[in-house]
Amino acid sequence: QSALTQPASVSESPGQSITISCTGTSSDVGAYNYVSWYQQHPGKAPKLMIYDVSNRPSGVSNRFSGSKSGNTASLTISGLQAEDEADYYCTSYTSSNTWVFGGGTKLTVL
Amino acid sequence: QVQLVESGGGVVQPGGSLRLSCAASGFTFSSYGMHWVRQAPGKGLEWVTFISDDGNSKWYANSAKGRFIISRDDSRSTVYLQMNSLRPEDAAVYYCAKDLAGHYIFDYWGQGTLVTVSS
């Protein structure tokens, strides 16, 4: 049950775009399209932003998008806004009937 | 609207036990699986355990196997986490989360309850 690999931090200016990668294995990210992404502001509960690799729940801005290639999933945020500054976590269902999270990525909007 | 409210956290000595509760409302509780996810102070999220809608499937992270037990009471719309043989590394905010049926994700989360393991 090794954690998925995410960059520890990313930063970009308002209005620009960023992409956060999430690398797993053929037993998790590569095996299923059950990759999801969560946004967490300090002191708050996580919020679902993307599910099934690329689907957005109702109410989530279309500036958020997801994709996957092989064992790596990605979250892209376009038109960065100050309110996007948060921690982002990917997660995947695994072939062992467990779930594994990435280590988290701190997004700083400069 | 969906609401999940955790309770039962607190300070416990190493080797001790604690039972967390998560009261659900705003959806048909008996139709959904439920998870517990934890977050140690300043650290990332860690999935702990899942119980299916019918209670027949219970899955655990290696860190929880043999020490933690998940259960549910549909008459009370509540999911529980019995934690035994607690270790300092179990100290965390524990969140319950609703499973989105068929998608293997956590679509709604509670605000969490803090567990501190210290002598």
Side-chain angles (χ1 to χ4, degrees):
Chain A
Q1 293 180 350
S2 298
L4 306 177
T5 300
Q6 297 181 232
S9 64
V10 296
S11 59
E12 187 53 271
S13 302
Q16 300 302 305
S17 297
I18 62 98
T19 296
I20 299 171
S21 62
C22 170
T23 301
T25 70
S26 57
S27 296
D28 40 63
V29 174
Y32 309 97
N33 286 327
Y34 297 132
V35 175
S36 51
W37 290 88
Y38 300 84
Q39 176 191 67
Q40 186 180 36
H41 287 109
K44 300 295 188 182
K47 174 187 175 184
L48 177 65
M49 304 303 285
I50 295 288
Y51 69 97
D52 292 356
V53 175
S54 60
N55 292 327
R56 273 189 313 277
S58 173
V60 172
S61 169
N62 60 7
R63 296 186 298 105
F64 291 82
S65 62
S67 63
K68 189 185 88 165
S69 177
N71 296 338
T72 299
S74 298
L75 172 71
T76 297
I77 310 174
S78 60
L80 278 171
Q81 300 178 0
E83 69 223 41
D84 299 332
E85 186 163 293
D87 293 327
Y88 290 85
Y89 294 90
C90 62
T91 188
S92 175
Y93 175 71
T94 84
S95 60
S96 302
N97 289 335
T98 62
W99 281 258
V100 61
F101 279 94
T105 298
K106 181 177 181 61
L107 169 61
T108 301
V109 180
L110 300 170
Chain B
Q1 71 281 21
V2 172
Q3 275 200 313
L4 300 170
V5 180
E6 301 94 338
S7 61
V11 180
V12 60
Q13 291 187 338
S17 298
L18 209 56
R19 188 177 84 152
L20 307 183
S21 301
C22 170
S25 61
F27 64 101
T28 304
F29 181 76
S30 59
S31 296
Y32 293 91
M34 297 293 294
H35 301 262
W36 287 95
V37 177
R38 69 184 181 183
Q39 186 170 34
K43 302 297 184 182
L45 299 168
E46 179 189 13
W47 174 80
V48 177
T49 182
F50 165 81
I51 186 168
S52 59
D53 55 351
D54 61 7
N56 289 333
S57 293
K58 300 176 185 180
W59 302 331
Y60 297 91
N62 286 339
S63 57
K65 256 179 220 173
R67 299 188 302 127
F68 293 4
I69 300 171
I70 190 170
S71 62
R72 63 188 297 152
D73 184 343
D74 289 351
S75 69
R76 287 183 160 81
S77 296
T78 299
V79 62
Y80 302 98
L81 182 63
Q82 176 68 42
M83 302 188 295
N84 302 319
S85 303
L86 282 162
R87 306 165 178 163
E89 56 264 36
D90 294 319
V93 173
Y94 283 73
Y95 296 100
C96 69
K98 173 183 165 291
D99 183 75
L100 180 58
H103 295 274
Y104 297 88
I105 64 166
F106 326 104
D107 60 343
Y108 288 94
W109 298 62
Q111 285 306 301
T113 186
L114 178 63
V115 172
T116 302
V117 183
S118 173
S119 53

